[in-house]
Amino acid sequence: MVSQFGSLGYTIRGKTADLTVVQKTIIDTLHKEGKPQIFIAKEAGCSQSAVSKHITRKLIVSKKCERKRCTTNQENCSLMRIVKQNRFKNLSELHKEWTEAGVKESRANTHKRVKEFGYSCRIPLVKPLLNHRQRQVCLTWAKEMKNWTVAQCSKVLFSDESKFCISFGNQGPRVWRKGGEAHSPSCLKSSVKFPQSVMIWGAMSSAGIGPLCFLKTKVTAPIYQEILEHFMLPSADQLFEDADFIFQQDLAPAHTAKSTRSWLNDHGIGVLDWPANSPDLNPIENLWGIVKRKMRNKRPKKCRWAEGHCQRNLGFHTTSAVPQTDHLHATLN
């Protein structure tokens, strides 16, 4: 009968013979399976004493590598409770509170234990503050919408305003750098006292995006109705042609004003029911995020929106009045 590893084609006997990598792998595999040493020696093509020495040597090495932990399970559990009580404490605060509880450990070991628990220090996400009622409304809305088909979702025209800060930097609190690069221009986060910013209204659907509206004033109900007239309706004509659509907007005061509701009713536009404080439900937020991430690597030239290029004195202008050097429309395309 041919053994499983009999294709090796050689047999090593004697004390001085060294085991090959293949033989060691065979011995380790069969030993884990609980095979007797005689069977392992036959399969590996070596002596039983060589198998015994190899197994014994691995056990001794593994025992030497096992270091006695300097903290007990009770002390580790106390550290985990400290971390769970307040996730926003830094490592120094965690170490101080742990040592005050009677544990004599170094800061490095505190960091090691926290990492062993599966925790990593990360920049926290920012989410709207919702009360219990608002959470329930969002949950109910999501359950009602989860059964929508692709065809139903394709009829929705999503809209939103977003503020873009046109200043150098805006890259977050961390940077990868080497020693001595602290003052390197590529590692600096620049700051200005009065950063330029622009508010932009946009709309999108499954068919694409509509024209952008660059705002220079606060969005009031009359201004918002002008945006709907000169930007939302053309976007709907461009994306849906003559098909019916549902308009989505959040619950900003200008959106829910009585005059705005009357304008939408007069134009026969159906509005999607929308819960309060729920920007994460709007897919256009992903598009804004893509644009802002790409703008971080840009150093835009002087913005022409600040030079008074507006139409009809309404405090906004179209993307056709803003060249590609402003980076926004170029990024969207």
Side-chain angles (χ1 to χ4, degrees):
M1 184 176 71
V2 181
S3 65
Q4 180 183 357
F5 302 100
S7 59
L8 294 175
Y10 56 85
T11 301
I12 300 177
R13 302 289 181 183
K15 298 180 181 180
T16 58
D18 293 329
L19 296 176
T20 63
V21 177
V22 177
Q23 288 176 315
K24 292 179 181 179
T25 304
I26 294 172
I27 294 172
D28 294 337
T29 303
L30 296 178
H31 179 66
K32 289 180 180 179
E33 295 177 358
K35 302 296 182 181
Q37 293 186 6
I38 297 177
F39 178 81
I40 297 175
K42 183 178 179 180
E43 295 293 322
C46 61
S47 64
Q48 182 180 349
S49 61
V51 174
S52 178
K53 289 180 180 179
H54 176 72
I55 295 174
T56 305
R57 189 180 300 111
K58 286 203 67 175
L59 291 175
I60 294 174
V61 172
S62 62
K63 287 182 179 180
K64 288 183 178 179
C65 293
E66 293 179 359
R67 297 182 59 184
K68 184 179 179 181
R69 298 181 68 85
C70 51
T71 56
T72 63
N73 292 335
Q74 184 178 359
E75 292 172 340
N76 293 336
C77 290
S78 66
L79 177 60
M80 183 177 293
R81 284 194 299 269
I82 294 172
V83 176
K84 289 183 177 181
Q85 286 174 358
N86 188 350
R87 300 293 186 91
F88 290 89
K89 290 181 179 179
N90 56 40
L91 183 59
S92 298
E93 292 173 336
L94 293 176
H95 174 66
K96 180 181 179 181
E97 189 169 345
W98 199 30
T99 53
E100 288 177 352
V103 181
K104 296 182 180 179
E105 278 302 324
S106 63
R107 188 175 182 271
N109 280 341
T110 303
H111 188 201
K112 187 185 299 183
R113 292 293 177 269
V114 173
K115 292 184 65 177
E116 289 175 356
F117 298 155
Y119 294 104
S120 299
C121 185
R122 296 291 185 265
I123 300 174
L125 298 177
V126 180
K127 300 294 182 180
L129 179 62
L130 301 178
N131 55 36
H132 179 72
R133 178 181 172 278
Q134 291 171 333
R135 292 177 185 271
Q136 291 299 321
V137 171
C138 289
L139 180 60
T140 303
W141 184 91
K143 288 181 178 179
E144 293 175 354
M145 302 295 292
K146 71 176 182 178
N147 295 324
W148 270 38
T149 63
V150 176
Q152 288 175 304
C153 295
S154 299
K155 294 182 179 180
V156 180
L157 178 63
F158 295 94
S159 69
D160 188 33
E161 299 96 2
S162 184
K163 184 178 180 180
F164 288 80
C165 185
I166 310 175
S167 63
F168 300 161
N170 191 26
Q171 297 176 354
R174 299 184 182 182
V175 63
W176 291 102
R177 69 189 186 196
K178 296 181 179 179
E181 291 184 339
H183 297 281
S184 175
S186 61
C187 299
L188 294 177
K189 179 183 176 182
S190 303
S191 63
V192 293
K193 290 185 177 180
F194 305 103
Q196 292 181 330
S197 63
V198 58
M199 182 70 72
I200 301 178
W201 179 94
M204 60 167 283
S205 72
S206 62
I209 61 173
L212 297 176
C213 175
F214 290 72
L215 302 164
K216 291 177 59 182
T217 61
K218 183 179 179 180
V219 182
T220 60
I223 291 294
Y224 184 65
Q225 292 161 29
E226 292 290 343
I227 294 173
L228 297 179
E229 178 75 30
H230 300 287
F231 291 91
M232 189 274 287
L233 292 181
S235 298
D237 293 337
Q238 172 188 336
L239 299 175
F240 298 98
E241 298 180 351
D242 295 330
D244 295 333
F245 72 97
I246 304 174
F247 181 57
Q248 180 277 331
Q249 61 180 1
D250 55 32
L251 302 183
H255 302 176
T256 57
K258 185 176 180 180
S259 58
T260 301
R261 293 198 302 267
S262 299
W263 187 96
L264 293 170
N265 292 331
D266 294 341
H267 288 76
I269 297 174
V271 180
L272 181 65
D273 185 27
W274 198 255
N277 294 328
S278 54
D280 290 348
L281 299 177
N282 195 344
I284 200 173
E285 294 292 345
N286 298 320
L287 183 59
W288 293 139
I290 294 172
V291 176
K292 290 180 180 180
R293 283 194 296 271
K294 290 189 176 182
M295 281 189 61
R296 289 173 184 171
N297 298 326
K298 301 289 185 179
R299 293 194 175 222
K301 298 179 182 179
K302 187 177 181 180
C303 297
R304 296 190 178 183
W305 69 267
E307 297 176 358
H309 294 279
C310 57
Q311 297 177 350
R312 293 178 294 277
N313 296 322
L314 294 175
F316 62 84
H317 54 73
T318 64
T319 51
S320 60
V322 180
Q324 297 272 333
T325 53
D326 281 337
H327 302 296
L328 278 170
H329 198 257
T331 304
L332 286 172
N333 292 331

